[in-house]
Amino acid sequence: SWQEKRCNMCEAKAYIIDNEGNEELILEAVSSVKKEGDKIFLRNIFAEEKEVEGEIKEISLTKNKIILKKKG
């Protein structure tokens, strides 16, 4: 339906990128991203949460993609 397509358009996937540029999916349907110091808190529409110590490398709104890099 139109509502399902519309909702899928706003849900991002979060990935961790390594030093070689490989991406690993860590959370789907991300609805919230919050950065506090070196920590990034992700939450999705199913109330699942992930915490990553690192930095935000890229957020692509057109690709619904969040790329994170772990600290260290």
Side-chain angles (χ1 to χ4, degrees), residues 13-17 23-27 64-69:
K13 293 182 180 178
Y15 299 84
I16 292 282
I17 192 169
E23 298 174 359
E24 176 189 348
L25 179 65
I26 59 166
L27 192 63
N64 296 331
K65 195 172 190 179
I66 301 163
I67 308 288
L68 308 175
K69 177 142 175 110

Side-chain angles (χ1 to χ4, degrees), residues 20-34:
E20 288 81 44
N22 301 311
E23 298 174 359
E24 176 189 348
L25 179 65
I26 59 166
L27 192 63
E28 294 187 86
V30 176
S31 59
S32 172
V33 179
K34 183 165 67 169

Side-chain angles (χ1 to χ4, degrees), residues 7-8 10-12 27-32 43-48:
C7 188
N8 286 339
C10 62
E11 297 166 4
L27 192 63
E28 294 187 86
V30 176
S31 59
S32 172
R43 184 179 173 99
N44 71 8
I45 61 172
F46 307 110
E48 297 172 320

Side-chain angles (χ1 to χ4, degrees), residues 35 37-40 52-56 68-71:
K35 182 148 172 60
D38 286 343
K39 294 185 179 179
I40 302 159
V52 176
E53 192 169 342
E55 63 181 289
I56 298 171
L68 308 175
K69 177 142 175 110
K70 281 188 179 178
K71 188 176 181 180

